[in-house]
Protein backbone atom coordinates (compact mmCIF):
# COMPACT_ATOMS: atom_id res chain seq x y z
CA UNK A 1 0.00 0.00 0.00
CA UNK A 2 1.23 3.50 -0.79
CA UNK A 3 2.24 5.73 2.10
CA UNK A 4 -0.69 8.04 1.55
CA UNK A 5 -3.78 8.72 -0.57
CA UNK A 6 -4.11 11.31 -3.31
CA UNK A 7 -7.30 11.98 -5.29
CA UNK A 8 -8.07 14.47 -8.01
CA UNK A 9 -11.31 15.48 -9.76
CA UNK A 10 -13.50 14.49 -6.83
CA UNK A 11 -17.05 15.69 -6.20
CA UNK A 12 -18.14 15.98 -2.56
CA UNK A 13 -21.95 16.21 -2.67
CA UNK A 14 -22.28 16.71 1.08
CA UNK A 15 -20.72 20.16 0.55
CA UNK A 16 -23.47 21.00 -1.94
CA UNK A 17 -21.27 23.25 -4.07
CA UNK A 18 -20.81 21.06 -7.19
CA UNK A 19 -17.09 21.87 -7.23
CA UNK A 20 -14.19 19.54 -7.94
CA UNK A 21 -11.68 18.79 -5.20
CA UNK A 22 -8.16 17.43 -4.74
CA UNK A 23 -7.72 15.42 -1.55
CA UNK A 24 -4.66 14.05 0.23
CA UNK A 25 -4.33 11.81 3.24
CA UNK A 26 -1.42 10.57 5.34
CA UNK A 27 -1.39 8.11 8.19
CA UNK A 28 -5.07 7.33 7.80
CA UNK A 29 -6.21 10.95 8.13
CA UNK A 30 -7.10 13.69 5.68
CA UNK A 31 -4.36 16.31 5.53
CA UNK A 32 -5.52 18.42 2.57
CA UNK A 33 -8.91 19.09 0.95
CA UNK A 34 -8.50 21.73 -1.74
CA UNK A 35 -10.90 23.12 -4.30
CA UNK A 36 -9.77 22.76 -7.88
CA UNK A 37 -10.10 25.69 -10.25
CA UNK A 38 -10.47 23.36 -13.20
CA UNK A 39 -10.48 19.71 -14.25
CA UNK A 40 -7.00 18.19 -13.76
CA UNK A 41 -5.40 15.59 -15.98
CA UNK A 42 -2.31 13.42 -15.63
CA UNK A 43 -0.03 16.23 -16.72
CA UNK A 44 -1.33 18.53 -13.98
CA UNK A 45 -0.35 16.18 -11.16
CA UNK A 46 3.05 15.38 -9.72
CA UNK A 47 2.07 11.74 -9.30
CA UNK A 48 3.99 9.24 -11.43
CA UNK A 49 1.04 6.89 -11.81
CA UNK A 50 -2.68 7.49 -12.11
CA UNK A 51 -5.56 5.10 -11.79
CA UNK A 52 -9.24 5.46 -12.63
CA UNK A 53 -10.99 2.94 -10.35
CA UNK A 54 -13.90 2.32 -12.72
CA UNK A 55 -11.82 1.58 -15.78
CA UNK A 56 -12.21 -1.95 -17.13
CA UNK A 57 -9.71 -4.22 -15.44
CA UNK A 58 -9.15 -2.04 -12.39
CA UNK A 59 -8.70 -4.01 -9.18
CA UNK A 60 -8.08 -3.37 -5.53
CA UNK A 61 -4.33 -3.98 -5.77
CA UNK A 62 -3.98 -1.28 -8.39
CA UNK A 63 -5.90 1.10 -6.17
CA UNK A 64 -3.71 0.29 -3.18
CA UNK A 65 -0.51 0.77 -5.23
CA UNK A 66 -1.60 4.00 -6.91
CA UNK A 67 0.20 7.26 -6.25
CA UNK A 68 -2.86 9.20 -7.37
CA UNK A 69 -6.43 8.25 -8.19
CA UNK A 70 -8.41 10.26 -10.72
CA UNK A 71 -12.14 10.05 -10.01
CA UNK A 72 -12.93 11.97 -13.21
CA UNK A 73 -15.74 13.85 -11.52
CA UNK A 74 -17.04 10.88 -9.54
CA UNK A 75 -18.59 11.19 -6.09
CA UNK A 76 -16.91 10.59 -2.75
CA UNK A 77 -19.04 10.17 0.37
CA UNK A 78 -17.98 9.72 3.99
CA UNK A 79 -18.44 6.14 5.16
CA UNK A 80 -22.16 5.38 5.39
CA UNK A 81 -23.75 4.94 8.81
CA UNK A 82 -26.51 2.36 9.31
CA UNK A 83 -27.96 3.19 12.71
CA UNK A 84 -30.63 0.47 12.85
CA UNK A 85 -29.90 -3.11 11.79
CA UNK A 86 -30.68 -6.57 13.19
CA UNK A 87 -27.50 -8.43 12.39
CA UNK A 88 -28.44 -11.37 14.61
CA UNK A 89 -31.58 -12.08 12.56
CA UNK A 90 -30.03 -11.59 9.11
CA UNK A 91 -30.28 -14.47 6.63
CA UNK A 92 -32.51 -16.54 8.92
CA UNK A 93 -35.47 -16.65 6.51
CA UNK A 94 -34.77 -20.23 5.43
CA UNK A 95 -34.98 -21.41 9.04
CA UNK A 96 -37.72 -18.95 10.04
CA UNK A 97 -40.44 -18.49 7.40
CA UNK A 98 -43.31 -16.00 7.66
CA UNK A 99 -46.28 -17.15 5.61
CA UNK A 100 -48.63 -14.30 6.53
CA UNK A 101 -45.97 -11.63 6.10
CA UNK A 102 -47.13 -9.90 9.29
CA UNK A 103 -45.06 -8.43 12.08
CA UNK A 104 -46.88 -10.60 14.61
CA UNK A 105 -45.95 -13.87 12.87
CA UNK A 106 -42.38 -12.72 12.38
CA UNK A 107 -41.98 -12.02 16.10
CA UNK A 108 -43.60 -15.32 17.10
CA UNK A 109 -41.69 -17.50 14.64
CA UNK A 110 -38.30 -15.99 15.42
CA UNK A 111 -38.82 -16.31 19.17
CA UNK A 112 -39.55 -20.01 18.65
CA UNK A 113 -36.60 -20.64 16.33
CA UNK A 114 -33.91 -18.70 18.20
CA UNK A 115 -33.61 -21.48 20.76
CA UNK A 116 -32.17 -23.77 18.08
CA UNK A 117 -29.50 -21.39 16.77
CA UNK A 118 -25.97 -22.08 17.96
CA UNK A 119 -23.58 -19.27 18.80
CA UNK A 120 -21.54 -20.24 15.74
CA UNK A 121 -24.58 -19.96 13.44
CA UNK A 122 -25.48 -16.56 14.85
CA UNK A 123 -21.92 -15.30 14.49
CA UNK A 124 -21.62 -16.57 10.92
CA UNK A 125 -24.81 -14.82 9.83
CA UNK A 126 -23.90 -11.61 11.61
CA UNK A 127 -20.44 -11.57 10.08
CA UNK A 128 -21.85 -12.17 6.61
CA UNK A 129 -24.39 -9.36 6.95
CA UNK A 130 -21.85 -6.91 8.39
CA UNK A 131 -19.30 -7.63 5.67
CA UNK A 132 -21.96 -7.23 3.00
CA UNK A 133 -22.96 -3.86 4.42
CA UNK A 134 -19.30 -2.84 4.56
CA UNK A 135 -18.79 -3.76 0.94
CA UNK A 136 -21.64 -1.41 0.00
CA UNK A 137 -20.07 1.47 1.87
CA UNK A 138 -21.33 1.19 5.45
CA UNK A 139 -18.42 1.66 7.85
CA UNK A 140 -20.44 2.20 11.05
CA UNK A 141 -23.40 0.17 12.34
CA UNK A 142 -25.74 0.15 15.30
CA UNK A 143 -27.37 -3.27 15.55
CA UNK A 144 -30.24 -4.16 17.85
CA UNK A 145 -29.91 -7.57 19.50
CA UNK A 146 -32.63 -9.92 20.72
CA UNK A 147 -32.26 -10.90 24.36
CA UNK A 148 -34.90 -13.56 25.18
CA UNK A 149 -34.08 -14.12 28.84
CA UNK A 150 -37.48 -15.81 29.31
CA UNK A 151 -36.10 -18.68 27.21
CA UNK A 152 -33.15 -19.09 29.56
CA UNK A 153 -29.89 -17.27 30.16
CA UNK A 154 -27.91 -19.64 27.96
CA UNK A 155 -30.14 -18.91 24.96
CA UNK A 156 -30.13 -15.16 25.59
CA UNK A 157 -26.37 -14.84 26.02
CA UNK A 158 -25.54 -16.84 22.87
CA UNK A 159 -26.52 -13.80 20.83
CA UNK A 160 -24.47 -11.44 23.02
CA UNK A 161 -21.36 -13.60 22.86
CA UNK A 162 -21.69 -14.06 19.09
CA UNK A 163 -22.17 -10.33 18.59
CA UNK A 164 -19.10 -9.41 20.63
CA UNK A 165 -17.00 -11.94 18.73
CA UNK A 166 -18.14 -10.47 15.41
CA UNK A 167 -17.29 -6.95 16.56
CA UNK A 168 -13.82 -8.09 17.55
CA UNK A 169 -13.28 -9.79 14.18
CA UNK A 170 -14.27 -6.63 12.32
CA UNK A 171 -12.31 -4.30 14.57
CA UNK A 172 -10.19 -2.08 12.36
CA UNK A 173 -12.57 -2.23 9.40
CA UNK A 174 -16.04 -1.49 10.78
CA UNK A 175 -17.30 0.21 13.94
CA UNK A 176 -20.26 -1.60 15.53
CA UNK A 177 -22.50 -0.49 18.39
CA UNK A 178 -24.99 -2.87 19.97
CA UNK A 179 -28.40 -1.91 21.36
CA UNK A 180 -29.91 -4.54 23.64
CA UNK A 181 -33.62 -5.29 23.27
CA UNK A 182 -34.60 -5.12 26.95
CA UNK A 183 -37.00 -8.04 27.51
CA UNK A 184 -40.44 -7.38 28.98
CA UNK A 185 -41.59 -11.00 29.31
CA UNK A 186 -41.02 -13.14 32.38
CA UNK A 187 -39.38 -12.23 35.67
CA UNK A 188 -38.29 -8.58 35.60
CA UNK A 189 -35.75 -8.94 38.40
CA UNK A 190 -33.93 -11.77 36.61
CA UNK A 191 -34.16 -9.93 33.31
CA UNK A 192 -32.72 -6.73 34.78
CA UNK A 193 -29.79 -8.65 36.26
CA UNK A 194 -29.11 -10.21 32.86
CA UNK A 195 -29.31 -6.81 31.15
CA UNK A 196 -26.78 -5.39 33.60
CA UNK A 197 -24.45 -8.30 32.91
CA UNK A 198 -24.76 -7.73 29.15
CA UNK A 199 -23.89 -4.04 29.64
CA UNK A 200 -20.81 -5.00 31.63
CA UNK A 201 -19.80 -7.36 28.81
CA UNK A 202 -19.74 -4.50 26.31
CA UNK A 203 -23.26 -3.67 25.12
CA UNK A 204 -23.42 0.04 24.27
CA UNK A 205 -27.09 1.07 24.21
CA UNK A 206 -30.39 0.05 25.80
CA UNK A 207 -33.24 -0.63 23.41
CA UNK A 208 -36.43 -2.61 23.20
CA UNK A 209 -39.99 -2.48 21.91
CA UNK A 210 -42.10 -1.27 24.84
CA UNK A 211 -45.12 -0.56 22.64
CA UNK A 212 -45.60 -4.34 22.42
CA UNK A 213 -45.75 -4.80 26.20
CA UNK A 214 -48.93 -5.03 28.28
CA UNK A 215 -47.76 -1.97 30.22
CA UNK A 216 -45.61 0.20 27.90
CA UNK A 217 -45.27 3.01 30.45
CA UNK A 218 -43.76 0.67 33.03
CA UNK A 219 -41.33 -0.81 30.48
CA UNK A 220 -40.18 2.62 29.28
CA UNK A 221 -39.50 3.59 32.88
CA UNK A 222 -37.44 0.42 33.41
CA UNK A 223 -35.28 1.16 30.39
CA UNK A 224 -34.62 4.75 31.42
CA UNK A 225 -33.77 3.82 35.02
CA UNK A 226 -31.16 1.31 33.83
CA UNK A 227 -29.83 3.71 31.19
CA UNK A 228 -29.33 6.41 33.83
CA UNK A 229 -27.61 3.98 36.15
CA UNK A 230 -25.10 2.89 33.52
CA UNK A 231 -24.89 6.17 31.63
CA UNK A 232 -25.78 4.67 28.25
CA UNK A 233 -28.00 6.02 25.44
CA UNK A 234 -31.53 4.76 24.76
CA UNK A 235 -32.75 3.55 21.34
CA UNK A 236 -36.30 2.18 21.28
CA UNK A 237 -38.57 0.65 18.68
CA UNK A 238 -41.64 2.86 18.96
CA UNK A 239 -45.18 2.53 17.67
CA UNK A 240 -44.49 0.11 14.84
CA UNK A 241 -48.21 -0.14 14.20
CA UNK A 242 -51.03 1.07 11.94
CA UNK A 243 -53.04 1.98 15.04
CA UNK A 244 -53.19 5.78 15.46
CA UNK A 245 -53.74 5.24 19.17
CA UNK A 246 -50.23 3.85 19.65
CA UNK A 247 -48.33 6.85 21.03
CA UNK A 248 -45.66 5.48 23.33
CA UNK A 249 -43.27 8.02 21.82
CA UNK A 250 -45.02 10.63 23.99
CA UNK A 251 -43.99 8.70 27.09
CA UNK A 252 -40.48 8.27 25.69
CA UNK A 253 -40.30 12.03 25.21
CA UNK A 254 -41.52 12.71 28.77
CA UNK A 255 -38.95 10.34 30.29
CA UNK A 256 -36.24 11.91 28.14
CA UNK A 257 -37.05 15.35 29.53
CA UNK A 258 -37.35 14.13 33.13
CA UNK A 259 -34.01 12.32 32.96
CA UNK A 260 -32.20 15.15 31.18
CA UNK A 261 -31.46 12.74 28.33
CA UNK A 262 -32.07 15.17 25.46
CA UNK A 263 -30.03 14.18 22.39
CA UNK A 264 -29.33 10.71 23.78
CA UNK A 265 -32.65 9.01 22.94
CA UNK A 266 -33.73 7.61 19.59
CA UNK A 267 -37.20 6.48 18.52
CA UNK A 268 -37.40 4.07 15.58
CA UNK A 269 -40.22 3.24 13.13
CA UNK A 270 -42.99 5.61 14.38
CA UNK A 271 -45.43 4.09 11.86
CA UNK A 272 -48.54 5.08 13.78
CA UNK A 273 -47.59 8.73 13.32
CA UNK A 274 -48.75 8.48 9.71
CA UNK A 275 -52.10 6.98 10.75
CA UNK A 276 -52.95 9.91 13.04
CA UNK A 277 -54.87 13.04 12.18
CA UNK A 278 -52.79 16.07 11.26
CA UNK A 279 -53.58 17.71 14.60
CA UNK A 280 -52.54 14.68 16.64
CA UNK A 281 -49.39 14.13 14.58
CA UNK A 282 -48.35 17.75 15.01
CA UNK A 283 -48.79 17.42 18.78
CA UNK A 284 -46.61 14.28 18.86
CA UNK A 285 -43.88 15.79 16.70
CA UNK A 286 -43.83 18.97 18.79
CA UNK A 287 -43.27 16.85 21.90
CA UNK A 288 -40.50 14.92 20.17
CA UNK A 289 -38.79 18.17 19.23
CA UNK A 290 -39.15 19.53 22.76
CA UNK A 291 -37.49 16.38 24.11
CA UNK A 292 -34.65 16.50 21.60
CA UNK A 293 -35.47 13.02 20.32
CA UNK A 294 -33.67 11.49 17.37
CA UNK A 295 -35.69 9.38 14.93
CA UNK A 296 -35.03 6.60 12.42
CA UNK A 297 -37.23 5.56 9.52
CA UNK A 298 -36.98 1.99 8.22
CA UNK A 299 -38.77 2.37 4.89
CA UNK A 300 -38.08 -0.99 3.27
CA UNK A 301 -39.34 -3.07 6.18
CA UNK A 302 -42.26 -0.80 7.07
CA UNK A 303 -43.48 -0.71 3.47
CA UNK A 304 -43.36 -4.51 3.52
CA UNK A 305 -44.96 -5.18 6.93
CA UNK A 306 -47.48 -2.41 7.54
CA UNK A 307 -50.94 -1.87 6.11
CA UNK A 308 -51.58 -5.58 5.62
CA UNK A 309 -55.15 -5.39 6.90
CA UNK A 310 -56.03 -2.37 4.75
CA UNK A 311 -58.34 -2.81 1.78
CA UNK A 312 -58.52 -0.54 -1.23
CA UNK A 313 -55.98 2.23 -0.73
CA UNK A 314 -53.26 0.56 1.37
CA UNK A 315 -51.25 2.80 3.68
CA UNK A 316 -47.53 3.05 3.04
CA UNK A 317 -46.63 2.21 6.64
CA UNK A 318 -43.65 4.53 6.87
CA UNK A 319 -43.56 7.41 9.33
CA UNK A 320 -44.09 11.09 8.42
CA UNK A 321 -40.67 11.47 6.85
CA UNK A 322 -41.03 14.89 5.28
CA UNK A 323 -42.86 16.32 8.29
CA UNK A 324 -40.25 15.13 10.79
CA UNK A 325 -37.52 16.68 8.67
CA UNK A 326 -39.48 19.92 8.41
CA UNK A 327 -39.73 20.01 12.22
CA UNK A 328 -35.95 19.83 12.43
CA UNK A 329 -35.97 16.45 14.17
CA UNK A 330 -32.80 14.48 13.29
CA UNK A 331 -34.11 11.67 11.07
CA UNK A 332 -31.97 8.89 9.67
CA UNK A 333 -32.87 6.13 7.22
CA UNK A 334 -31.61 2.62 7.95
CA UNK A 335 -31.75 -0.99 6.75
CA UNK A 336 -33.49 -2.77 9.64
CA UNK A 337 -33.90 -6.45 8.67
CA UNK A 338 -32.11 -8.41 5.96
CA UNK A 339 -33.56 -11.62 4.51
CA UNK A 340 -35.33 -12.79 7.66
CA UNK A 341 -38.98 -13.33 8.67
CA UNK A 342 -39.47 -9.58 9.12
CA UNK A 343 -38.22 -8.73 5.63
CA UNK A 344 -37.35 -11.34 2.96
CA UNK A 345 -35.23 -8.93 0.92
CA UNK A 346 -32.44 -6.44 1.49
CA UNK A 347 -28.65 -6.47 1.32
CA UNK A 348 -27.50 -3.82 3.77
CA UNK A 349 -27.09 -1.25 0.99
CA UNK A 350 -27.86 2.23 2.30
CA UNK A 351 -27.86 3.74 -1.18
CA UNK A 352 -30.78 1.41 -1.96
CA UNK A 353 -32.43 2.45 1.32
CA UNK A 354 -32.09 6.11 0.36
CA UNK A 355 -33.74 5.35 -2.97
CA UNK A 356 -36.63 3.53 -1.25
CA UNK A 357 -37.00 6.49 1.12
CA UNK A 358 -37.27 8.82 -1.87
CA UNK A 359 -40.15 6.75 -3.27
CA UNK A 360 -41.94 6.44 0.07
CA UNK A 361 -41.68 10.14 0.91
CA UNK A 362 -41.96 11.62 -2.60
CA UNK A 363 -38.48 13.11 -2.31
CA UNK A 364 -36.93 13.81 -5.69
CA UNK A 365 -35.89 17.45 -5.94
CA UNK A 366 -32.24 18.47 -5.82
CA UNK A 367 -32.71 19.63 -2.24
CA UNK A 368 -34.48 16.35 -1.35
CA UNK A 369 -31.64 14.27 -2.75
CA UNK A 370 -29.09 16.17 -0.70
CA UNK A 371 -31.26 15.49 2.36
CA UNK A 372 -31.45 11.78 1.55
CA UNK A 373 -27.66 11.59 1.51
CA UNK A 374 -27.56 13.28 4.91
CA UNK A 375 -30.00 10.66 6.21
CA UNK A 376 -27.43 7.89 5.61
CA UNK A 377 -24.30 9.87 6.51
CA UNK A 378 -23.96 12.78 8.92
CA UNK A 379 -27.42 12.56 10.56
CA UNK A 380 -27.02 8.93 11.73
CA UNK A 381 -23.39 9.68 12.56
CA UNK A 382 -24.63 12.37 14.93
CA UNK A 383 -27.33 10.11 16.36
CA UNK A 384 -24.91 7.39 17.40
CA UNK A 385 -22.08 9.73 18.34
CA UNK A 386 -19.45 9.17 15.67
CA UNK A 387 -16.40 11.33 16.31
CA UNK A 388 -14.32 12.88 13.55
CA UNK A 389 -16.95 12.16 10.94
CA UNK A 390 -17.17 13.85 7.50
CA UNK A 391 -14.46 14.27 4.89
CA UNK A 392 -12.55 17.06 6.57
CA UNK A 393 -8.91 17.75 7.35
CA UNK A 394 -7.83 15.92 10.48
CA UNK A 395 -10.61 13.34 10.26
CA UNK A 396 -10.08 9.62 9.68
CA UNK A 397 -10.25 8.26 6.12
CA UNK A 398 -13.46 6.24 5.90
CA UNK A 399 -15.16 6.85 2.60
CA UNK A 400 -16.99 5.51 -0.44
CA UNK A 401 -16.14 6.44 -4.04
CA UNK A 402 -18.38 5.89 -7.04
CA UNK A 403 -18.38 6.73 -10.73
CA UNK A 404 -21.78 8.45 -10.43
CA UNK A 405 -21.38 12.08 -11.48
CA UNK A 406 -24.24 13.35 -9.28
CA UNK A 407 -26.69 12.22 -6.62
CA UNK A 408 -29.49 11.55 -9.12
CA UNK A 409 -27.27 9.14 -10.98
CA UNK A 410 -26.13 7.56 -7.73
CA UNK A 411 -29.67 6.88 -6.47
CA UNK A 412 -30.93 5.78 -9.88
CA UNK A 413 -28.50 2.87 -9.83
CA UNK A 414 -27.23 3.49 -13.36
CA UNK A 415 -23.67 3.81 -12.03
CA UNK A 416 -23.31 1.01 -9.54
CA UNK A 417 -19.54 0.68 -9.13
CA UNK A 418 -18.54 1.50 -5.57
CA UNK A 419 -15.27 1.22 -3.75
CA UNK A 420 -14.96 1.45 0.00
CA UNK A 421 -11.97 2.57 2.04
CA UNK A 422 -12.29 1.83 5.74
CA UNK A 423 -9.64 2.01 8.44
CA UNK A 424 -6.72 1.71 6.05
CA UNK A 425 -7.99 -0.78 3.46
CA UNK A 426 -9.86 -0.90 0.13
CA UNK A 427 -12.89 -3.05 -0.56
CA UNK A 428 -15.10 -3.43 -3.63
CA UNK A 429 -18.90 -3.65 -3.69
CA UNK A 430 -19.03 -5.22 -7.14
CA UNK A 431 -19.66 -8.72 -5.81
CA UNK A 432 -21.42 -7.86 -2.55
CA UNK A 433 -24.89 -9.06 -3.54
CA UNK A 434 -24.13 -12.75 -3.06
CA UNK A 435 -26.88 -14.51 -1.16
CA UNK A 436 -26.23 -16.28 2.11
CA UNK A 437 -25.70 -19.97 1.66
Amino acid sequence: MSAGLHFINVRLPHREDHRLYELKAEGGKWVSIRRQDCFLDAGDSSASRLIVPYQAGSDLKRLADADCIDLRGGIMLPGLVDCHMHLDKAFSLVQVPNRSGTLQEAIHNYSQAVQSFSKEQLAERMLTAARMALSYGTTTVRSHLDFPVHLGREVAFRTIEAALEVREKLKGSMAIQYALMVPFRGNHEAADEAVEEALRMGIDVLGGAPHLADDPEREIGRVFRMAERFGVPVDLHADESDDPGRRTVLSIAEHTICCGYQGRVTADHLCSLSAMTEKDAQHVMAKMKEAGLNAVTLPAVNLYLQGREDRGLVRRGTTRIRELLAEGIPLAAASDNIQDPFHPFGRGDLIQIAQITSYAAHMGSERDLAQLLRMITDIPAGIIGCEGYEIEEGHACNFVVTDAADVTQLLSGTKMSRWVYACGGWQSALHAAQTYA
Side-chain angles (χ1 to χ4, degrees), residues 15-30:
R15 295 196 171 203
E16 300 183 34
D17 61 7
H18 306 291
R19 297 286 297 271
L20 292 171
Y21 285 83
E22 180 178 14
L23 298 88
K24 295 180 181 179
E26 295 289 345
K29 291 189 175 182
W30 296 113

Side-chain angles (χ1 to χ4, degrees), residues 143-162:
S143 176
H144 294 254
L145 300 176
D146 261 21
F147 196 53
V149 178
H150 67 287
L151 298 177
R153 287 175 56 87
E154 196 275 332
V155 172
F157 277 94
R158 277 183 213 158
T159 298
I160 307 303
E161 292 168 3

Side-chain angles (χ1 to χ4, degrees), residues 80-91 110 125-147 159 163 166 170 174-181 203-205 207-208 235-237 240 266 268-269 296-301 332-340 342-343 345-353 375-376 380 383-384 432:
L80 309 182
V81 180
D82 202 325
C83 64
H84 187 120
M85 300 184 81
H86 288 270
L87 293 177
D88 55 330
K89 295 185 175 79
F91 303 112
Y110 190 84
R125 294 204 308 259
M126 293 182 73
L127 193 60
T128 300
R131 283 175 170 164
M132 181 178 285
L134 176 62
S135 72
Y136 279 116
T138 294
T139 58
T140 304
V141 163
R142 175 180 283 179
S143 176
H144 294 254
L145 300 176
D146 261 21
F147 196 53
T159 298
V166 168
L170 292 175
M174 173 180 270
I176 302 178
Q177 289 185 3
Y178 289 121
L180 193 72
M181 300 283 287
I203 294 300
D204 309 280
V205 181
D235 190 336
L236 294 170
H237 292 57
E240 188 178 1
T266 304
D268 311 305
H269 292 291
V296 183
T297 182
L298 296 312
V301 176
S335 294
D336 207 3
N337 299 77
I338 299 171
Q339 298 180 38
D340 64 19
F342 297 81
H343 182 228
F345 314 116
R347 57 184 187 233
D349 179 359
L350 280 177
I351 299 297
Q352 182 189 49
I353 293 298
M375 291 171 70
I376 59 173
I383 288 174
I384 70 174

Side-chain angles (χ1 to χ4, degrees), residues 361-411:
H362 296 134
M363 296 175 69
S365 69
E366 184 176 0
R367 183 178 179 181
D368 287 339
L369 298 184
Q371 182 66 60
L372 287 167
L373 281 189
R374 293 194 62 230
M375 291 171 70
I376 59 173
T377 54
D378 62 283
I379 292 176
I383 288 174
I384 70 174
C386 296
E387 296 183 359
Y389 191 70
E390 294 284 12
I391 300 171
E392 301 290 350
E393 292 180 9
H395 290 185
C397 293
N398 292 303
F399 58 87
V400 187
V401 292
T402 170
D403 51 350
D406 55 43
V407 181
T408 300
Q409 198 173 65
L410 179 68
L411 295 184

